Amino acid sequence: GDISVLNHNPAGLSVYRSSEIVTTLDVTGIESKSNWAGNQSAAKKTRFNFDNIAYMGYFPTGNDEGLLSWNVGFSYNRLKNYHRKYKAAVNGSNGSSLTDYIAARANASGLTPDDLNYQSSGDNITYDPYEHVNDWLSILGNCGGFMDYNDGKFSTNLPSTSYQRSYTELDVEENGAIDQYAIGFGGNFSDFLMVGASVTITDLDYNMYAYYAEDYNKQTDYTSYIEVENNLKTEGTGYGINVGAIVRPADFLRVGIAYNSPTWYKMTDYYYAKSASDIQSLKDQYHDESPNNAYTDYKYRTPDKWIFSAAAIIGQTALVSVDYEMMNYRRMRMYDANGNENTSTNTDIDQSLGISNTIKAGAEVKITPQFAVRAGMAWTGSAMGADIKNGQREVMTVGTIPNYTIDRDVFNYTVGFGYRFTPQLYADIACIYKTAKDDVYAFSPMFDNAGKTLIEANPSSLKTNSTRVALTIGYKF
């Protein structure tokens, strides 16, 4: 019985035997370390957060059996923080160039210079490629001087015989959060069966800035470069439903099951990008930028979740609990603003993703009636398919953002204690250490119909460690 049950198993509302107000604040330090072909980079960030505030109301019925009490809960809860900053850099050549990738992508779409070049009459632009071509990254690469067109296909503008890559860099900074507002109800039947349901409204806010650059040394001291900057802001509002039940077959045992429905989002992406190059053989600098007021509306359905849990209560002094969560990412779906299915993206989801499993375990021991200590851990497995994890499948990025990450395993380790100052007032302090592994791709590998590699993309390994200290204060009445 705590406020997290509203977005977990709302039957936990019925465990409460008093009303309560509770809130949580935290400070989080985040450190990201990358290794790209033996070249290591690091970035740090610190954030203060207001995590939640909630009210739980307990209303006994006075019955000796049947419905003994019903409970209601209202909460604001921060489900996720996106705050992260990381850098990946490598000296020398490391597989294909971004120019190779953009050229291959334009060729795969059957694009020509007539599609990608601006056309004008006098001072008036008569043809803007951004209004006619969906692949804006190809436009940025073409107008930014990355590509040449010969014999009916695009290729890099960098002559391989005289240019040698000296440095490659990818910098990414992410911000934002997912906030959820919930109202839930629960009922306790004869201290044997507890049921609950909650309705949630979720706000999503995500911001990303990505900078990618390649430097080249010619056979002289002149240094050439290409660079791409991307800005993305995503906003969304969604709703969902959670239902659950807890059974008490014996005084010492609780068994629970819950279903968290998908969250149905209405989303908007705002994006802006620019490219630039200075290649000595072209004897000129090139640059381009996308329209600065561009946006796309669409709809998105998250995967649903099943939760199975059990807890053993050892007298009045200790408890041990275990949870298993299952999310089937193949049930994600993308739609346009009118609700029409995005068939190609959803086909990729079906072919590339699978089930993510989470296992949680925790324990609490009361040292005195006022003082308790706690510890726990959680592991979450990746839902990515093996071919995605191994870089054996093309990842279809959208817009002008070629970089992406592939999730690996996530571990959380928690220690903490709680102290009850009075029968009504208490405080909990927890320290949560989280470690997450990702593979960072500056752009996707590409393959021909026979499976031969057209574009080689070597990922950087990324490890993000965060230490979060959370203070919870509650008052029962």
Side-chain angles (χ1 to χ4, degrees):
D2 63 56
I3 64 169
S4 69
V5 299
L6 282 170
N7 54 68
H8 187 72
N9 184 346
L13 285 172
S14 304
V15 175
Y16 278 85
R17 295 295 180 267
S18 64
S19 299
E20 181 175 333
I21 297 176
V22 63
T23 189
T24 301
L25 304 172
D26 84 64
V27 57
T28 303
I30 307 166
E31 182 178 25
S32 299
K33 295 181 178 180
S34 68
N35 187 317
W36 202 1
N39 296 262
Q40 298 184 358
S41 303
K44 294 182 179 181
K45 197 170 188 178
T46 301
R47 294 285 303 186
F48 292 89
N49 298 296
F50 173 62
D51 282 346
N52 55 54
I53 186 168
Y55 161 78
M56 302 293 178
Y58 168 68
F59 302 96
T61 63
N63 297 332
D64 294 329
E65 59 182 43
L67 180 61
L68 303 183
S69 64
W70 61 274
N71 297 32
V72 62
F74 305 90
S75 75
Y76 156 78
N77 191 46
R78 175 151 291 184
L79 296 184
K80 181 179 178 65
N81 279 312
Y82 286 116
H83 303 294
R84 181 171 64 168
K85 183 178 182 179
Y86 60 89
K87 175 180 179 178
V90 61
N91 293 308
S93 180
N94 184 38
S96 301
S97 164
L98 178 63
T99 61
D100 298 318
Y101 170 72
I102 297 176
R105 188 158 141 167
N107 292 331
S109 299
L111 299 172
T112 68
D114 288 340
D115 299 316
L116 301 181
N117 288 328
Y118 292 92
Q119 298 176 22
S120 60
S121 176
D123 294 333
N124 298 320
I125 296 177
T126 58
Y127 176 83
D128 185 342
Y130 289 103
E131 296 178 357
H132 299 275
V133 176
N134 289 328
D135 189 355
W136 284 16
L137 183 59
S138 292
I139 304 173
L140 277 174
N142 177 71
C143 298
F146 295 6
M147 303 189 301
D148 196 8
Y149 189 78
N150 289 297
D151 299 326
K153 67 177 183 179
F154 287 99
S155 61
T156 177
N157 249 336
L158 294 162
S160 59
T161 56
S162 57
Y163 283 79
Q164 181 178 8
R165 197 186 325 176
S166 58
Y167 184 72
T168 305
E169 178 181 333
L170 173 66
D171 291 283
V172 177
E173 184 167 2
E174 298 169 299
N175 293 287
I178 299 178
D179 295 326
Q180 188 177 87
Y181 306 86
I183 178 172
F185 298 89
N188 177 359
F189 294 88
S190 302
D191 283 331
F192 174 77
L193 172 65
M194 285 157 274
V195 297
S198 61
V199 177
T200 62
I201 301 295
T202 306
D203 285 335
L204 183 151
D205 179 47
Y206 173 77
N207 299 277
M208 186 192 75
Y209 169 78
Y211 172 80
Y212 178 87
E214 296 175 4
D215 290 344
Y216 289 83
N217 288 332
K218 196 176 179 292
Q219 293 173 351
T220 67
D221 292 333
Y222 191 91
T223 299
S224 298
Y225 69 87
I226 66 160
E227 63 182 13
V228 176
E229 293 182 71
N230 273 289
N231 293 271
L232 170 68
K233 179 178 179 60
T234 299
E235 295 178 345
T237 301
Y239 64 92
I241 300 171
N242 304 321
V243 295
I246 298 173
V247 177
R248 183 186 176 196
D251 287 343
F252 68 91
L253 183 63
R254 310 285 189 275
V255 179
I257 183 173
Y259 174 74
N260 297 167
S261 79
T263 299
W264 288 273
Y265 277 107
K266 288 186 176 181
M267 309 279 279
T268 302
D269 285 350
Y270 304 90
Y271 35 85
Y272 171 73
K274 58 183 179 180
S275 61
S277 68
D278 185 0
I279 300 172
Q280 186 185 19
S281 63
L282 299 179
K283 295 181 172 53
D284 200 358
Q285 293 181 340
Y286 287 79
H287 63 86
D288 191 39
E289 58 186 73
S290 67
N292 60 14
N293 58 349
Y295 69 93
T296 299
D297 293 323
Y298 58 100
K299 295 180 180 179
Y300 165 57
R301 187 186 76 192
T302 72
D304 53 1
K305 181 193 298 185
W306 283 95
I307 303 168
F308 306 90
S309 57
I313 292 86
I314 305 170
Q316 299 293 317
T317 60
L319 67 84
V320 177
S321 65
V322 177
D323 287 5
Y324 167 68
E325 301 178 1
M326 180 180 67
M327 296 181 70
N328 185 355
Y329 277 81
R330 290 195 184 100
R331 292 180 60 82
M332 287 197 304
R333 283 296 178 265
M334 301 286 291
Y335 308 88
D336 66 17
N338 297 318
N340 300 311
E341 184 174 352
N342 187 329
T343 304
S344 60
T345 300
N346 291 337
T347 298
D348 282 342
I349 289 172
D350 291 336
Q351 295 176 350
S352 305
L353 301 180
I355 293 175
S356 173
N357 300 299
T358 297
I359 297 175
K360 302 177 181 180
E364 175 181 291
V365 177
K366 281 189 175 182
I367 307 300
T368 70
Q370 291 79 33
F371 182 70
V373 295
R374 309 181 182 100
M377 69 167 295
W379 165 82
T380 300
S382 173
M384 300 291 178
D387 53 351
I388 293 286
K389 289 181 180 179
N390 297 329
Q392 298 172 337
R393 181 185 179 90
E394 181 179 359
V395 173
M396 302 301 294
T397 61
V398 297
T400 59
I401 303 175
N403 57 280
Y404 59 93
T405 59
I406 298 297
D407 299 338
R408 298 284 181 170
D409 293 348
V410 178
F411 289 90
N412 284 273
Y413 307 92
T414 305
V415 294
F417 64 87
Y419 189 80
R420 189 172 296 279
F421 299 97
T422 69
Q424 292 78 33
L425 181 64
Y426 69 89
D428 294 330
I429 293 180
C431 179
I432 306 99
Y433 178 73
K434 177 182 178 181
T435 177
K437 294 181 178 180
D438 299 86
D439 290 334
V440 180
Y441 283 83
F443 48 86
S444 173
M446 292 184 68
F447 309 90
D448 63 16
N449 293 332
K452 180 182 177 181
T453 301
L454 297 175
I455 300 299
E456 180 186 7
N458 297 321
S460 165
S461 62
L462 177 67
K463 186 175 183 180
T464 304
N465 298 327
S466 65
T467 302
R468 173 177 167 232
V469 178
L471 170 65
T472 299
I473 298 175
Y475 184 80
K476 296 177 180 292
F477 57 94

